[in-house]
């Protein structure tokens, strides 16, 4: 009688322990998957090239007499060549906003 009671208690404890472990594991799996998906999405967002985020900007070509605006999606720091009155002039695009909503393009030459 005592060995049977001992066996029943051990088997009940073993079943309870295994059930608890399975439930805890089942609760952890969706949380881990969600964390992986979120981390993968953040990695993709931080690794996205800047070229995807380009926007069209209008630049005012400073110190010119001719047509003084230039539209481009190139980033600031880019040097462009622009023809004004038959002459070729180089300008560097900047991040400096002007009062009219355009950005400054500084002459290099």
């Amino acid at each position: 009688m005592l060995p049977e009671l001992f066996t029943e208690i051990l088997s009940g404890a073993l079943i309870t322990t295994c059930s608890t472990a399975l439930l805890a594991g089942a609760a952890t799996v969706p949380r881990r998957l969600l964390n992986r998906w979120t981390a993968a999405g953040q990695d993709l967002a931080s690794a996205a090239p800047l070229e995807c985020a380009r926007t069209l900007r209008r630049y005012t070509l400073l110190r010119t007499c001719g047509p003084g605006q230039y539209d481009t999606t190139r980033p600031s720091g880019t040097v462009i060549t622009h023809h004004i009155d038959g002459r070729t002039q180089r300008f560097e695009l900047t991040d400096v906003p002007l009062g009219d909503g355009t950005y400054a393009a500084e002459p290099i030459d």
Side-chain angles (χ1 to χ4, degrees):
M1 172 129 167
L2 188 59
E4 291 174 4
L5 181 62
F6 187 68
T7 306
E8 285 183 33
I9 291 173
L10 279 179
S11 65
L14 185 60
I15 289 172
T16 303
T17 304
C18 289
S19 299
T20 304
L22 285 173
L23 288 174
T28 303
V29 169
R31 199 171 345 151
R32 282 192 170 191
L33 287 175
L34 181 63
N35 287 342
R36 281 187 185 171
W37 289 332
T38 305
Q42 289 173 349
D43 290 344
L44 286 176
S46 65
L50 294 176
E51 303 198 73
C52 293
R54 285 186 173 181
T55 56
L56 182 67
R57 282 185 173 181
R58 176 165 286 175
Y59 289 88
T60 297
L61 306 175
L62 301 179
R63 290 186 249 154
T64 59
C65 297
Q69 294 195 332
Y70 186 81
D71 296 329
T72 186
T73 58
R74 304 238 179 216
S76 62
T78 303
V79 175
I80 60 166
T81 303
H82 196 68
H83 300 285
I84 299 174
D85 297 331
R87 290 184 14 215
T88 301
Q89 286 186 317
R90 294 184 320 145
F91 294 87
E92 182 180 0
L93 306 179
T94 68
D95 278 338
V96 179
L98 300 176
D100 61 354
T102 64
Y103 292 86
E106 294 280 342
I108 294 176
D109 299 329

